[in-house]
Structure formats: structure tokens, C-alpha cells
């Protein structure tokens, strides 16, 4: 038995969207359970290749799997349907299974438009899928009516076997990190929120949020670190919901001396200074918040009834502990006007986010807004026969136009990018000596976004190199930091101030003598001063490295 677990590509190709490009965590959990049963599993990430169907065709012909399972988002359903048809064409006896939110919320539609589809696994899929695999292996020809959580087509009718029983003990699941490399991890399943633009509340149902134990979760991180993964995206809908558990995770990371960084998602009402202190010391470098709008009325409409003061406080606290606060903003919502966009702009200026992601409000199955329109017959499920990922709200709102909404987005982004230098230079950090090395790390990371990253070439960021230099210097005022030394040294080089770069590298190498990048920076600065013999002395210790040889050769040619 050989099973393909496939992450199909979205209809509109992604380049930088980390979540859309990553294999869903559920496929890793499934893969681990199947491997524990001795079943051969291949994970296929079609979202990460330029020609998804051609790539899949080659793999199908090469491996001839018995079962192909696709984990769908609404945006990736067309790739999954095309992939299913391709799999059946190559092997008419292959079993095709769909799962994930896109399949859960559109089961009837998918069976009507995808003849190659055999089964849909609804919601949490481990139990249902593994039982279905056992049923197929048993060569039992009767339909699997006894397996909860399935939808299938029999005798011209759709059969829904009901909801599967949720897994209460998440620690009973196999550790995917024993078999796979990945960066997205999760402490919990479920969400305490009821955001009307998100499918998570309906996907997980009204059950309480379930958690892994602290030990299981940190064991997963440790296993992945052993495999060379040192940065994690913690994908819980609200990571900080259980304060005691999160603090336990942070203590365990520190006690085990796990060298890693991670980012998380939180809500403004599950945050205080104590948890931020522990998170920062354990490697947290960014927290994303769903701010959505500056209008309290629109936030209520979207199911995010937070008061403005609470939002401002959350960003202020997060920033003060040296954690980058990122804001998610939605525009083009019900009731959106020029005035509400101005409220959003005003809120951005109050919260001073250091990163901002803005989206047009879109509808898709499983969200409260979509379900409301469906129940009022303002929209038809037949719309999904079209090759579209989702439906922008403004297309259904007589008070909004594409031109208006486009201008709304430009105003939000222009405000942020024209103010980001100010936000970065006005950061007030808590004066706690235990956090000084972390403050240095935070400021040097932020400086990099101005010298080499997202803000270095944006037309509305006026003096990125000056801002970067100030942040690097402030970083070094807290503690020696290799990134700050290197970034500042490279800025000196760019301005052809090689003497200053050499003086700075002399200080840097006292603390980080074996840092390859700092030694190269010193050598390059000395070479530009004509001191080739001195430069060689900093290159010799790395002479076995291929990327060092050109520098060595350049120095020797001048001696």
C-alpha cells in the first residue's frame, strides 16, 4: 500500500504567502500515523512547484500509489480536481480522497463536479482517514457506512456518515517530526473566537479548544531542531489562550536550551506583560494580531468586538518586550466608507505596527458571512463552478466599487510605509537587564528590514539606510550582537568608509571571533584599503570553504 498525501496549489499562484506554500499540518499528522502502521507515504507539495500538474503526473507514473489524498482550501479546489482526474486517468483503480476545509464545506458541490472523487473526509481527519485506509486494505467491497466523518456517492445519492468523534488526547497522535521536516507547528486545535470572515469556527465546531501537553509540544520542537529546523511558525488561532500552558512551553524551551526562534498569532485579550517576558526569552520574535479595522462598528460586524484602547495596549506591550507586532487589516467590509478607512488609518498611527498585512474582505464557504448570504439566497453554491478562489465582498455590496476598494487599500499601505521609519525609531523597550541581549537581537532584526529587507527599497520609505544605521547602533548599546555588527559594517562599506568598518569589526571579533560573515566583512574592508596580507589572516581559518576561495585568490594575486 502506497499513499500520496497532496497539498494542491491555489488557483492564483502564490510566491511569498508562507501559509499557502506550506504543506498543511494535518497531512504530516496523517503521514506519521500511516507510517507507524507500516504504510508507505509520500507527501507531495504542489503549491511549491511551478508546474503542479506536470509534477504530479511524473510522480503518479513513477510511484503508482493506491490512494491519493488531497487537502483542500477553497482556493486550491481546482488543482485538486484536476489532480484527481489525472490520477484516475493514469490508474482507474486508484482511490481519490479529499479532505480539509475546502472539502468539508463543499462536499455536495465537489461530488457534482469531480467524477474522479471517491470519498471526502470531513473536519478532523486522522481517525476517519485511517479507518478508511484499513477498510480499503481489507478489500471489503461494501460501502464504509460504519466510518464516521465520511461523505461518498452511492446509488446516485450522497451518503454522509455523520461527524467523527474528535480526538480528545492530542498527545496520542504520532510525532510527525520523527518522519518529516516542517516549520508549522501547533499547540492546540480549535479557536475561542467567532470571526465571521474565517472558516475556523465552523471547521472545528463548538467543541472546546483542545491542547497538546507542554512536554509533547516541546518534544516536537526538539525533534525538529535535531533535524536542522530552527525557526517555527506556531499556527494556533490563538496561541496565548492558555497562559499557564504557554508559560510552561516557554520555561521548557529555556530549560532545554533549545536554540530556535518562532512566531505566533494572538488576540489582544489573551496577553499581558508576564507572558510576553517568557515568550521573548524562549525565542518569540513576532506576534500577529487580527486588528481588521479601525472602526469599532466594522470590527463588531466581523466578529472582532475589541475596543480600540485594548488594541493599542496590546501593540505597545508587545513592542516593549522586543517582539515585533504585526497587524492584519481587512478592508472593503460591510459598511466600509472613506470615513471608516480614515478610522483604520488613525488606528494604524496609534498602534505603530512594525509589520502590516492588508487584505480585501473575501467570502468563501464555511465563514459566517458566506453562510448568512447563502441562507438569505443572496448567493448560490453554483458560483463555485467558476474558476475563482473566493468572492470579494465589494462585488455583492451596491455601496462599494472596485475603484473605491483599491483606493482604500492604497491609503492603508501608503500610511504604513510612510510612517514605518518613525514607528521603528520611537520604540520604547522595557528596562530589564535580563532582556538586554534580546533587545539587541530585536533591534538588529528590525534594522535588517531597512538595510536589506522589505523596507530597503520601498518608495515611501525615505531614508532606509539611515534608519538601519540608527537601529544597529541602538542594538549594540544593549549588548554585543553579531547581526548588528555585520549590518553596520556593511553600511560602512557601502559608504566606502572602510577604516570605520575595520574598527567596528575589531570590536565585533572580540565577541564573535569565529563568525564567518564578520571575518569576511573584515577581510573585504582590509582588501579595499590595500591591506591584502592582513585580509588573508582573517580568511585562512575558512580556507576550506568554497565561497572563501575567491577572496583568498584575490588577495594572493595582489601580494
Amino acid at each position: 500500500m502506497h499513499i500520496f498525501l497532496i497539498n494542491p496549489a491555489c488557483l492564483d499562484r502564490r510566491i511569498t504567502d508562507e501559509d499557502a506554500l506550506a504543506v498543511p499540518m494535518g497531512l504530516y499528522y496523517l503521514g506519521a500515523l500511516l507510517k507507524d502502521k507500516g504504510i508507505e507515504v509520500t507527501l507531495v507539495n504542489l503549491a511549491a512547484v511551478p508546474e503542479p500538474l506536470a509534477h504530479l503526473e511524473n510522480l503518479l507514473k513513477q510511484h503508482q500509489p493506491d490512494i491519493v489524498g488531497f487537502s483542500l482550501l477553497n482556493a486550491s479546489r481546482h488543482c485538486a480536481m484536476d489532480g484527481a482526474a489525472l490520477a484516475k486517468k493514469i490508474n482507474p483503480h486508484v482511490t481519490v480522497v479529499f479532505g480539509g476545509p475546502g472539502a468539508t464545506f463543499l462536499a455536495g458541490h465537489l461530488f457534482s463536479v469531480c467524477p474522479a472523487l471517491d470519498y471526502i473526509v470531513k473536519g478532523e481527519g486522522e481517525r476517519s482517514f485511517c479507518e478508511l485506509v484499513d477498510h480499503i486494505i481489507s478489500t471489503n467491497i461494501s460501502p464504509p457506512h460504519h466510518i464516521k466523518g465520511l461523505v461518498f456517492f452511492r446509488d446516485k445519492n450522497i451518503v454522509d456518515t455523520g461527524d467523527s468523534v474528535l480526538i480528545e488526547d492530542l498527545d496520542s497522535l504520532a510525532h510527525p517530526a520523527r518522519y518529516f521536516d516542517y516549520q508549522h507547528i501547533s499547540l492546540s486545535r480549535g479557536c475561542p473566537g467567532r470571526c465571521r470572515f474565517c472558516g475556523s469556527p465552523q471547521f472545528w465546531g463548538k467543541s472546546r479548544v483542545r491542547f497538546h501537553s507542554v512536554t509533547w509540544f516541546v518534544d516536537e520542537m526538539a525533534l525538529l531542531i535535531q533535524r536542522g529546523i530552527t525557526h517555527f511558525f506556531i499556527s494556533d488561532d490563538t496561541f496565548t489562550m492558555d497562559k499557564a500552558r504557554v508559560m510552561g512551553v516557554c520555561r521548557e524551551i529555556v530549560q532545554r536550551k533549545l536554540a530556535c526562534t518562532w512566531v505566533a498569532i494572538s488576540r489582544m485579550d489573551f496577553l499581558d506583560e508576564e507572558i510576553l517576558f517568557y515568550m521573548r526569552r524562549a525565542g518569540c520574535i513576532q506576534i500577529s494580531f487580527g486588528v481588521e479595522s479601525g472602526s469599532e462598528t466594522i470590527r463588531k460586524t466581523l466578529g472582532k468586538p475589541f475596543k480600540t484602547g485594548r488594541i493599542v495596549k496590546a501593540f505597545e506591550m508587545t513592542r516593549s518586550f522586543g517582539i515585533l507586532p504585526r497587524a492584519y487589516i481587512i478592508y472593503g467590509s460591510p459598511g466600509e466608507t472613506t470615513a471608516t478607512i480614515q478610522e483604520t488609518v488613525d488606528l494604524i498611527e496609534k498602534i505603530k505596527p512594525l509589520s502590516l498585512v492588508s487584505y480585501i474582505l473575501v467570502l468563501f464557504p464555511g465563514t459566517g458571512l458566506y453562510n448568512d448570504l447563502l441562507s438569505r439566497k443572496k448567493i448560490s453554491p453554483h458560483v463555485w463552478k467558476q474558476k475563482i478562489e473566493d468572492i470579494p465582498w465589494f462585488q455583492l455590496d451596491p455601496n462599494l466599487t472596485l475603484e473605491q476598494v483599491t483606493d482604500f487599500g492604497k491609503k492603508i499601505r501608503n500610511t504604513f510605509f510612510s510612517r514605518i521609519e518613525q514607528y521603528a525609531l520611537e520604540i520604547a523597550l522595557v528596562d530589564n537587564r535580563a532582556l538586554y541581549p534580546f533587545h539587541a537581537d530585536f533591534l538588529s532584526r528590525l534594522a535588517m528590514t531597512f538595510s536589506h529587507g522589505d523596507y530597503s527599497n520601498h518608495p515611501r520609505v525615505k531614508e532606509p539606510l539611515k534608519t538601519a544605521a540608527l537601529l544597529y547602533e541602538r542594538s549594540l548599546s544593549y549588548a554585543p550582537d553579531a547581526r548588528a555588527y555585520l549590518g553596520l559594517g556593511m553600511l560602512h562599506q557601502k559608504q566606502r568608509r572602510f577604516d570605520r568598518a575595520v574598527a567596528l569589526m575589531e570590536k565585533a571579533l572580540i565577541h564573535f571571533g569565529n563568525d564567518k560573515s564578520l571575518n569576511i566583512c573584515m577581510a573585504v574592508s582590509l582588501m579595499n584599503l590595500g591591506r591584502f596580507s592582513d585580509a588573508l589572516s582573517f580568511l585562512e581559518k575558512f580556507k576550506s570553504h568554497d565561497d572563501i576561495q575567491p577572496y583568498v585568490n584575490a588577495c594572493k594575486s595582489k601580494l
Side-chain angles (χ1 to χ4, degrees):
M1 174 66 66
H2 188 176
I3 298 175
F4 273 19
L5 298 177
I6 303 170
N7 179 38
C10 292
L11 188 60
D12 298 329
R13 181 157 174 75
R14 269 57 167 183
I15 298 174
T16 59
D17 188 333
E18 293 158 350
D19 290 334
L21 294 174
V23 172
M25 287 182 291
L27 292 187
Y28 290 117
Y29 279 101
L30 273 178
L33 287 169
L34 294 168
K35 280 180 172 286
D36 273 2
K37 293 160 70 76
I39 294 171
E40 185 178 2
V41 175
T42 299
L43 261 64
V44 181
N45 189 7
L46 298 182
V49 297
E51 298 292 338
L53 292 178
H55 181 71
L56 179 60
E57 182 176 11
N58 289 335
L59 292 175
L60 289 168
K61 289 178 177 178
Q62 179 183 350
H63 296 284
Q64 295 289 323
D66 304 284
I67 300 172
V68 291
F70 294 84
S71 180
L72 278 67
L73 299 172
N74 201 58
S76 65
R77 70 190 186 282
H78 282 285
C79 180
M81 290 189 292
D82 292 342
L86 181 64
K88 285 286 191 183
K89 180 180 178 182
I90 292 170
N91 176 11
H93 302 292
V94 72
T95 300
V96 175
V97 185
F98 284 0
T104 298
F105 300 137
L106 274 183
H109 166 78
L110 289 169
F111 276 109
S112 72
V113 297
C114 185
L117 178 59
D118 294 306
Y119 299 98
I120 282 176
V121 173
K122 302 186 302 177
E124 185 173 79
E126 287 92 351
R127 275 197 176 130
S128 302
F129 189 79
C130 287
E131 288 177 16
L132 177 61
V133 170
D134 289 341
H135 180 80
I136 293 169
I137 291 173
S138 73
T139 67
N140 186 339
I141 61 172
S142 62
H145 292 280
H146 61 290
I147 301 175
K148 295 294 185 183
L150 295 184
V151 183
F152 52 91
F153 201 70
R154 284 295 182 276
D155 301 324
K156 298 181 180 181
N157 292 307
I158 291 178
V159 177
D160 186 329
T161 64
D163 295 334
S164 64
V165 178
L166 294 176
I167 300 167
E168 282 298 316
D169 180 12
L170 296 184
D171 286 2
S172 66
L173 294 166
H175 265 299
R178 289 192 287 112
Y179 301 109
F180 306 110
D181 295 340
Y182 53 95
Q183 291 181 279
H184 286 71
I185 58 177
S186 182
L187 178 63
S188 66
R189 292 185 179 184
C191 181
R194 289 293 178 264
C195 301
R196 301 188 67 229
F197 54 86
C198 177
S200 185
Q202 185 174 334
F203 185 79
W204 295 113
K206 296 181 179 179
S207 64
R208 62 182 175 79
V209 178
R210 293 159 293 144
F211 294 89
H212 282 292
S213 68
V214 168
T215 300
W216 195 100
F217 182 73
V218 181
D219 282 348
E220 181 181 28
M221 296 179 80
L223 285 167
L224 289 166
I225 290 170
Q226 289 173 17
R227 298 175 70 94
I229 310 297
T230 58
H231 180 69
F232 301 104
F233 300 89
I234 298 181
S235 300
D236 299 60
D237 290 317
T238 306
F239 177 65
T240 55
M241 178 185 171
D242 185 335
K243 178 181 175 179
R245 193 179 303 264
V246 171
M247 288 176 63
V249 165
C250 294
R251 289 192 194 96
E252 190 79 5
I253 291 171
V254 172
Q255 287 171 3
R256 296 199 202 183
K257 298 180 180 179
L258 298 181
C260 63
T261 55
W262 44 278
V263 301
I265 305 166
S266 184
R267 281 187 2 181
M268 280 69 71
D269 55 342
F270 287 110
L271 208 65
D272 61 27
E273 292 187 351
E274 185 178 30
I275 198 171
L276 287 167
F277 175 80
Y278 277 87
M279 288 173 68
R280 185 65 189 99
R281 285 175 55 85
C284 180
I285 60 172
Q286 175 184 285
I287 300 176
S288 296
F289 299 96
V291 175
E292 320 314 353
S293 174
S295 164
E296 290 193 355
T297 301
I298 288 180
R299 289 202 297 270
K300 287 178 182 177
T301 299
L302 297 178
K304 300 291 283 286
F306 296 113
K307 296 296 184 182
T308 296
R310 183 182 287 275
I311 298 171
V312 173
K313 181 64 175 176
F315 274 75
E316 180 184 294
M317 281 195 303
T318 302
R319 195 169 47 244
S320 73
F321 279 86
I323 299 174
L324 188 146
R326 180 165 74 163
Y328 286 117
I329 300 291
I330 293 174
Y331 60 96
S333 300
E336 196 82 88
T337 63
T338 301
T340 61
I341 289 298
Q342 186 58 50
E343 288 183 271
T344 297
V345 166
D346 293 342
L347 181 57
I348 289 170
E349 297 204 27
K350 289 177 182 176
I351 64 177
K352 300 176 171 57
L354 297 176
S355 177
L356 182 142
V357 181
S358 58
Y359 300 100
I360 294 174
L361 177 63
V362 296
L363 305 177
F364 48 88
T367 64
L369 289 170
Y370 173 83
N371 292 339
D372 178 57
L373 289 173
L374 199 63
S375 67
R376 294 191 287 120
K377 302 188 185 306
K378 299 292 186 181
I379 199 169
S380 166
H382 297 303
V383 71
W384 303 115
K385 291 181 179 179
Q386 301 176 39
K387 275 213 163 186
I388 55 173
E389 288 194 354
D390 44 47
I391 305 169
W393 172 269
F394 73 82
Q395 291 183 357
L396 306 174
D397 191 328
N399 297 313
L400 293 173
T401 66
L402 173 60
E403 183 180 9
Q404 276 182 301
V405 174
T406 301
D407 287 342
F408 291 163
K410 287 179 181 177
K411 185 169 186 178
I412 290 167
R413 288 185 288 274
N414 287 343
T415 296
F416 171 72
F417 283 108
S418 63
R419 303 282 198 280
I420 183 59
E421 291 172 288
Q422 174 191 337
Y423 300 160
L425 295 176
E426 291 180 351
I427 293 169
L429 296 168
V430 295
D431 189 15
N432 183 328
R433 297 192 69 85
L435 290 175
Y436 280 9
F438 300 95
H439 289 347
D441 173 81
F442 165 64
L443 291 165
S444 68
R445 287 180 187 276
L446 184 57
M448 282 285 286
T449 65
F450 288 96
S451 61
H452 296 83
D454 292 345
Y455 308 139
S456 61
N457 291 307
H458 196 281
R460 289 192 171 267
V461 180
K462 299 303 181 185
E463 297 183 294
L465 297 185
K466 180 180 178 181
T467 301
L470 291 170
L471 290 169
Y472 285 132
E473 288 168 355
R474 189 178 177 196
S475 168
L476 293 172
S477 74
Y478 278 102
D481 182 89
R483 189 186 301 105
Y485 278 123
L486 180 62
L488 198 53
M490 292 173 71
L491 289 179
H492 288 328
Q493 288 178 338
K494 192 168 188 174
Q495 296 162 342
R496 304 199 64 77
R497 298 186 299 194
F498 298 110
D499 284 329
R500 294 183 67 172
V502 168
L504 184 68
M505 290 304 104
E506 287 174 347
K507 294 178 182 178
L509 292 170
I510 292 172
H511 303 284
F512 308 102
N514 292 320
D515 187 289
K516 180 179 171 181
S517 296
L518 291 174
N519 278 276
I520 291 174
C521 185
M522 172 64 101
V524 169
S525 299
L526 291 168
M527 290 166 69
N528 276 277
L529 293 171
R531 296 168 56 183
F532 296 101
S533 180
D534 292 337
L536 269 176
S537 67
F538 291 96
L539 298 170
E540 284 295 321
K541 66 181 78 173
F542 306 104
K543 62 184 179 182
S544 63
H545 297 213
D546 291 341
D547 57 335
I548 292 292
Q549 203 56 46
Y551 297 107
V552 172
N553 293 341
C555 288
K556 289 182 176 178
S557 71
K558 296 292 185 179
L559 295 177

